Each structure stands twice: as C-alpha cells, then as structure tokens.
Amino acid sequence: MPLLCKVNFKQRGKTCFKNISDVSSRERCPRASGLESLLPLVSSVEETPEPIPTTIKGTIPAWINGSFLRNGPGKFEFGDDRYNHWFDGMALMHRFHICQGSVTYCSRFLRSDSYVNNSEKNRIMISEFGTSAMPDPCKNFLERFLSRFQLPKATDNANVNFVKYKGDYYVSTETNYMRRVDPQSLETKEKVDWSQYIAINSATAHPHYDHEGASYNMGSSYGRSGYFYNIIRVPPPTTATEDSADLTGAEVICSIPAAQSRKPSYFHSFVMSENYIVFVEQPIKLDLLRFMLYKIQGKPFQKIMTWEPRCDVIFHLVDKHTGQESEVKYRAAPMFTLHQINAFEDNGFLVMDMCCGDDGEIIGDFTLENLRRESVQEMDEFYNSLCRNLPRRYVLPLNVDEQTPLDQNLVTLSYCKATATKTKPGEVYVTHEELHGDELLQYGGLEFPQINYNKHNGKPYRYFYACGFGHVFADSLLKMDVRTKELKVWRYPGLYPSEPVFVASPKAAEEDDGVVLSVIITPRKEKSTFLLVLDAKTFTELGRAEVPVNIPCGTHGVFNEMG
C-alpha cells in the first residue's frame, strides 16, 4: 500500500493528500548492483604534520596560488571504545598547498578538548552525534548514576567545515563551539564559544558571506519563552591588533519562533540572496522531550531526531538589511535539504536552488556499521535503501498582499516551471521545478554543491558543481548548467571524489573560467590519494598531485587564496 502523507494545503475547502512514492527520488534512480566495500574510506589514519611533496601528473596551472583546506572525520576509536557514527570521528584537517605548479600536503588532528581528553584517558570521554560517552569507571556507583541526569557537554570536535569570520579561519561543527586555526600550519588555536558573544546554543558550519565582507549564519536558542531559529550577522574584518579570536559586533538580526517549540526542526544550512535570508523549517525534528530521557538511558543525540513527513516545509523570508520577517508564510510539500546551491532575486521573485530529498531518515543511516559493510549484497541493500538527493528550484513571490488573487500561479518568470499559489491571506503554497534532466538519475542524484561563490553568490548564475552518488559515498564529479540542464561528468571506477571547489582564474571573463579542485581516494590500493585539478569549463582533467598517504572520506573544504 503506498504511503500517503497529509499536506497542509487546503484548496476549495479540501485537504489534499500526496502520494510520496510517486515522487520518491529513491525510486527514480537506478538500483545499484555489485557495489564494492568502502571500509578503507572510513578507517582511522595517522596525521602528516609536516608538509610532504606530491608527484605531479599532467599540469597544475601555475596561476593557482593558495591552499586547498579540507576537514572531516579521521579517527574512530580510543582504546577499546569505538564510535558508532561517521559524524563522530575526530576532526582531521588537510592542507594541499599549491604554488607555481607544485603541491605539498600535510594534515593534523584538531587538538579539541574532545581529542585531548580522549587521548589522555584512552577512551571516549565526550559524547558525539551518534555515540554517548559512558560514565567514568573510576567514579563510584552514585557518581556514575547521577552523571546520567546532567546535561551532556557539547563537543568541540569541529569536523565539518572551514569557516571564516573577520578574516580568521575556524573549523566548525554544529554545536556552540568553534576552534580558530592557523590555515598555514593547521595549528589548533583557542576554543570559541558563540554563547559568549550572542544568546545562541548552536550554529551551523555553513555561514554565508556578503560582498562587503560580513558573515551570516543561523543558530538556535531555547528557554522559557520557547525555541527560536536565529539569524546571526558578524561584521566585516577590521585592522587586526592581536592574534586572537574576535567575534565582537556579532548580533542576532532576527529570531524566528519554531512552529513546534517541543519539536523544532534540524537545519544544516540556509538560503541567502543579495537582500534576503530564507530559513527552511523542515520535517526533520528534534524531540526535546526525549532529550533528557535518552541522556538517562545513555542514548546519543542522533536518537532524538525524527522524520515527520506529515509536516509541511515552511520557508521563512527575512529582509537581510532590516531583520524583518515577512508576514507571508511560504509552505511546500515535505522534503529535507542539507545544502543550498544558490539563490537570487529577479523581477519581484526570489529564486532558490537547493539539493532536496524525500526521506529525512538518511542522516541516521550513516553509522559506521553500515558504511563498513564488506559483503557486496549487504552494501547493495544498504545503498538501495537510501534516499537520493536531487536539485530543485523553488520560487517565492516577494510582493504578496491583500490584493493578490487566490488560487492562481503567481510565478511569471519565463524560465521557471515552479509555481506559487496564494491559498489564504498570509499564506502561499509553492511547488518546485526539477533542476535537472533524466541523465542525472543514472549518477544517483547529487550533493555537496558549489558555485563560483565570489562572483555569483546571491546573484543570477548558470553553473554549479557537485558530487554524484552512484555509491554510498560520491563516485563522480558533476557540472550542471541550470539553464539547459546539460551535465558534464568526471567518473572512473573505484575512485571517490570529495566536494568540488571552484577557483577562478586571475583574468576570468566568464563564470566558469577557472579550475575545480577535488581530493580523490580509493579503497582499492593503499596510499593512492590524489588532488585532482579539472578545467572548470570543459570538465576535463588538467593534472593531479599524488599523495603517498591514506586519507579518509571527508566533509567540506575551502580554497584559501594567497597574494
């Protein structure tokens, strides 16, 4: 019997139902068969703290001058204790330094409190996303029992991304803690607590940056008055006077109350155009009532997350300059999104492109037990059970008022098939346009989107780059033309790329003048990692820098350009 989900959208007095299986991205993509084990990609490795040379094959353009910085989990056990989830691994930072056609590589574990305490005790001392730290066996029974009732200490294991505030680099996760780092040496510097600057309890690892140098992010807060999603602004950098973290001037420009204060939405990123910020309140929920109960039971944070497809998506539109939230609520059918591609304004509309899926259970699926399956049949079954994310376009009409007619499509952009319909005063229901052709489905959908950010973030654009997922981890690199939906692909059996990062050439005249950087790893051969450099326009290989070390699968990264 097909799963029916109630969509909170009333038209002519009737409640509509949507057949989820009709639109499931999992069903649209081909089933895989004969997938290889990825065990080496999620195994612990050693750090390489001193830069080592790489072997160049082909040509690395001499104009590339800077460091490709990557982050991700790199250590999954301490003593006899093992982490349960891929997100739990200790942060390992990577640096590929590129200069005059040559490349060196180094890596360092982040010396977070979590890493240091775990190392000293040779056991897991601090809970992570999918692993609860057990009470210290050195304590007596009463102390161990009472520790169950204490609020868990947030981790500073910042293994998600490199981010930038006021000119300084930090590594970040999704708690209230970041760590400042030296982008040259990868030295760990001071621990930074967001709550010492503004009243938030967490922040994302995906800030946005405007063209004046200010940084924007989303954070959450909760208290007696409820649960709020907060838009944060950090001002542009000023002349540095000392080598220390500086988030002074950070402010919350808008607080959005959760639709369900006891079940707020999980969020990983947000949408920003030139003049607006959009927070996506989605059906992945955090059950706060379970929070303390699960702490007592020794269950990890992951277990309080639930997928509730009976809830609509709500797009909260906020003026970036005034912090004023629109009185209009924009609703859409249930979906989840982790990463946005880009957003821009056009003739009274806000166009938002993002990677979306139909099943929000996927986050909890990335346990190390699942990822380390060695049986071909078991790996096939796991992969074929996963949701596939696909690029979608939503369009929000910005000028909706009392005179706006009901029950007709308000989107008049000639190039958009997405719709927006005013269903009642103060509410607009939107449907998406598929931002791809059928060819993409054979690559398993896509994620980790990147654009020419410096020139086109928040503005009209034509190209984005992403990873294709014909396996549990990315097995291809993709370039998508959002105008024609034409696809360019880099894919070779047994090679697994990281998130592609675009670097513009010095005299770029067109949007895709430059290169795309990605780290390629393989489970088939020891110490066979390489940095791949693609021509962004043709999507053909220019060169690679081979590194004689093992590198595990990572998360996000940035290019740090040098003068």
Side-chain angles (χ1 to χ4, degrees):
M1 184 175 182
L3 173 66
L4 293 179
C5 112
K6 182 179 177 182
V7 178
N8 189 18
F9 167 34
K10 294 188 176 181
Q11 188 176 40
R12 296 185 177 90
K14 296 181 180 180
T15 300
C16 298
F17 286 79
K18 192 176 188 69
N19 190 332
I20 292 289
S21 62
D22 285 347
V23 296
S24 170
S25 52
R26 180 193 295 113
E27 300 300 323
R28 296 173 61 196
C29 292
R31 293 177 63 83
S33 177
L35 296 178
E36 65 184 325
S37 171
L38 299 179
L39 175 60
L41 307 191
V42 284
S43 298
S44 297
V45 300
E46 300 295 325
E47 64 182 2
T48 308
E50 297 300 323
I52 61 173
T54 65
T55 301
I56 305 299
K57 299 289 181 66
T59 302
I60 309 296
W63 57 261
I64 305 176
N65 185 23
S67 295
F68 186 32
L69 304 173
R70 295 274 305 151
N71 199 357
K75 183 175 176 60
F76 300 97
E77 64 281 314
F78 287 93
D80 294 331
D81 290 356
R82 301 289 185 269
Y83 287 117
N84 299 322
H85 200 283
W86 181 52
F87 295 171
D88 300 340
M90 293 291 98
L92 180 62
M93 304 174 290
H94 310 266
R95 178 180 184 245
F96 291 86
H97 181 58
I98 310 170
C99 183
Q100 296 297 314
S102 65
V103 181
T104 60
Y105 168 80
C106 64
S107 65
R108 281 192 175 188
F109 282 107
L110 179 71
R111 265 54 179 185
S112 60
D113 289 350
S114 297
Y115 179 87
V116 171
N117 291 339
N118 294 343
S119 298
E120 289 176 350
K121 300 291 186 180
N122 201 30
R123 59 184 294 267
I124 295 173
M125 298 291 295
I126 297 176
S127 297
E128 301 292 340
F129 174 78
T131 306
S132 289
M134 292 297 101
D136 190 339
C138 296
K139 294 181 178 179
N140 63 40
F141 172 79
L142 180 60
E143 289 174 324
R144 293 199 304 272
F145 176 75
L146 292 177
S147 70
R148 295 288 195 185
F149 296 89
Q150 299 171 354
L151 284 174
K153 183 179 179 181
T155 182
D156 65 337
N157 176 34
N159 64 4
V160 178
N161 204 2
F162 277 85
V163 298
K164 207 171 184 181
Y165 295 103
K166 290 192 168 185
D168 283 333
Y169 275 101
Y170 300 79
V171 284
S172 179
T173 179
E174 294 186 334
T175 68
N176 57 309
Y177 295 122
M178 298 187 296
R179 279 282 186 170
R180 194 166 69 97
V181 295
D182 184 325
Q184 310 304 320
S185 66
L186 300 182
E187 175 190 358
T188 302
K189 296 193 173 184
E190 68 266 44
K191 179 179 176 178
V192 178
D193 183 350
W194 273 107
S195 66
Q196 298 301 308
Y197 295 90
I198 48 179
I200 61 170
N201 304 105
S202 67
T204 83
H206 287 287
H208 275 295
Y209 312 98
D210 68 17
H211 298 286
E212 284 72 48
S215 306
Y216 293 82
N217 206 342
M218 292 290 310
S220 62
S221 62
Y222 50 88
R224 293 181 180 178
S225 56
Y227 193 103
F228 295 87
Y229 314 111
N230 302 291
I231 299 175
I232 307 159
R233 181 183 185 274
V234 179
T238 55
T239 303
T241 57
E242 57 184 36
D243 183 23
S244 63
D246 179 18
L247 295 183
T248 55
E251 60 179 335
V252 172
I253 64 172
C254 182
S255 288
I256 302 166
Q260 298 173 279
S261 61
R262 293 183 178 179
K263 282 191 175 183
S265 288
Y266 168 77
F267 57 96
H268 186 72
S269 59
F270 62 101
V271 177
M272 190 174 87
S273 68
E274 196 164 6
N275 295 295
Y276 295 94
I277 287 174
V278 179
F279 172 68
V280 184
E281 192 169 15
Q282 58 187 344
I284 302 179
K285 300 295 186 179
L286 307 178
D287 191 331
L288 300 185
L289 293 180
R290 292 185 186 179
F291 187 61
M292 285 306 298
L293 175 62
Y294 280 7
K295 168 61 178 172
I296 296 170
Q297 295 175 343
K299 294 182 179 180
F301 180 85
Q302 169 199 344
K303 297 296 184 181
I304 75 167
M305 300 177 71
T306 61
W307 169 241
E308 302 194 5
R310 292 185 176 274
C311 297
D312 282 353
V313 168
I314 304 175
F315 296 111
H316 297 272
L317 177 70
V318 177
D319 186 303
K320 192 175 76 174
H321 308 291
T322 66
Q324 185 68 37
E325 182 182 2
S326 171
E327 295 181 358
V328 177
K329 288 291 181 288
Y330 301 87
R331 295 182 177 271
M335 62 85 174
F336 85 96
T337 180
L338 293 177
H339 301 112
Q340 280 68 59
I341 302 169
N342 197 14
F344 59 91
E345 300 146 40
D346 185 2
N347 199 30
F349 296 93
L350 178 59
V351 180
M352 307 185 302
D353 298 342
M354 57 188 74
C355 296
C356 303
D358 302 313
D359 182 357
E361 300 282 0
I362 188 171
I363 294 177
D365 290 335
F366 274 63
T367 63
L368 289 171
E369 180 182 9
N370 282 334
L371 297 177
R372 289 172 173 171
R373 297 183 184 201
E374 296 192 68
S375 160
V376 170
Q377 180 180 354
E378 289 183 349
M379 184 57 80
D380 288 349
E381 290 175 354
F382 173 53
Y383 172 77
N384 290 326
S385 73
L386 295 175
C387 176
R388 315 297 167 79
N389 286 7
L390 296 169
R392 294 177 180 174
R393 171 166 286 179
Y394 292 86
V395 179
L396 308 184
L398 298 173
N399 303 312
V400 178
D401 56 27
E402 294 178 356
Q403 282 70 48
T404 303
L406 294 172
D407 300 332
Q408 69 180 49
N409 182 19
L410 304 177
V411 180
T412 56
L413 298 175
S414 60
Y415 55 85
C416 286
K417 296 179 181 177
T419 69
T421 305
K422 182 180 175 183
T423 56
K424 62 182 181 181
E427 187 167 299
V428 172
Y429 190 85
V430 299
T431 67
H432 67 269
E433 171 188 354
E434 299 286 1
L435 202 62
H436 63 88
D438 291 341
E439 182 186 5
L440 174 63
L441 301 178
Q442 67 179 288
Y443 297 103
L446 60 79
E447 255 294 353
F448 294 122
Q450 290 281 323
I451 63 170
N452 182 341
Y453 193 94
N454 290 340
K455 295 293 185 182
H456 290 271
N457 179 52
K459 298 180 178 181
Y461 75 114
R462 182 167 181 176
Y463 305 106
F464 74 90
Y465 313 91
C467 288
F469 280 80
H471 204 321
V472 175
F473 284 128
D475 69 342
S476 62
L477 293 170
L478 309 173
K479 177 187 180 181
M480 177 72 75
D481 185 328
V482 298
R483 293 184 191 171
T484 66
K485 298 182 181 177
E486 178 188 3
L487 200 63
K488 286 186 169 64
V489 182
W490 184 94
R491 187 186 200 185
Y492 292 92
L495 298 183
Y496 297 86
S498 71
E499 168 190 64
V501 171
F502 175 83
V503 182
S505 61
K507 298 180 180 180
E510 296 182 285
E511 181 182 337
D512 58 350
D513 280 350
V515 298
V516 168
L517 305 178
S518 179
V519 178
I520 313 298
I521 55 181
T522 179
R524 299 184 179 184
K525 187 179 178 182
E526 282 277 303
K527 300 181 178 180
S528 296
T529 303
F530 61 90
L531 173 66
L532 174 69
V533 182
L534 296 178
D535 182 298
K537 188 176 291 292
T538 64
F539 225 53
T540 56
E541 181 174 340
L542 296 175
R544 59 179 66 179
E546 297 176 345
V547 189
V549 299
N550 290 325
I551 296 179
C553 192
T555 47
H556 297 286
V558 298
F559 184 75
N560 178 28
E561 186 175 352
M562 299 178 186

